[in-house]
Amino acid sequence: MTDLNDLSVNELQAMIENAESAIKDKQAGQRKEVIAQIKELAASIGVTVEIHEGAKKPKRKGAKVAAKYRNPDDAELTWTGRGMTPKWMRALTEAGRDKSEFLI
């Protein structure tokens, strides 16, 4: 066995990458064997099995929220009313104006 202290950082990194690749290959081989055994057992009792690999549930993305406030000086600047208050809204409210003035 190689003494890890004698290896350079690059050699150690390459060894780690090779080990990770070998692990993935072994896991894939074991997976195929298990799937074959499942299909064999199912066939022995006259049943067929369909296995879908990699069928992951799609991640749910947050829905877009319509803007609730609009900057009176620049109509392109809007805010949904969620999250941090934008600088333009903060400046207007600190100047004594009410948020309800800017509702869309």
Side-chain angles (χ1 to χ4, degrees), residues 7-17:
L7 299 176
S8 70
V9 172
N10 290 338
E11 291 171 326
L12 287 169
Q13 189 64 40
M15 185 179 282
I16 290 169
E17 289 170 7

Side-chain angles (χ1 to χ4, degrees), residues 86-104:
K87 290 178 183 177
W88 63 265
M89 176 65 86
R90 251 184 299 170
L92 291 168
T93 54
E94 286 172 2
R97 297 184 68 182
D98 188 46
K99 277 200 304 191
S100 62
E101 296 176 46
F102 315 113
L103 285 170
I104 297 177

Side-chain angles (χ1 to χ4, degrees), residues 66-80:
K68 190 173 179 182
Y69 301 98
R70 177 169 280 127
N71 186 339
D73 301 328
D74 184 355
E76 288 190 21
L77 296 177
T78 60
W79 180 45
T80 62

Side-chain angles (χ1 to χ4, degrees), residues 14-65:
M15 185 179 282
I16 290 169
E17 289 170 7
N18 289 339
E20 287 174 345
S21 177
I23 288 170
K24 285 180 185 176
D25 291 344
K26 284 191 179 215
Q27 288 173 335
Q30 288 173 341
R31 183 176 176 83
K32 286 179 184 176
E33 286 176 24
V34 170
I35 289 172
Q37 288 173 353
I38 291 170
K39 287 182 178 182
E40 204 175 295
L41 287 170
S44 71
I45 60 169
V47 177
T48 58
V49 175
E50 193 173 316
I51 298 174
H52 302 279
E53 292 188 52
K56 292 183 180 177
K57 237 182 178 180
K59 290 185 178 180
R60 184 176 172 194
K61 293 183 180 180
K64 290 273 184 180
V65 178

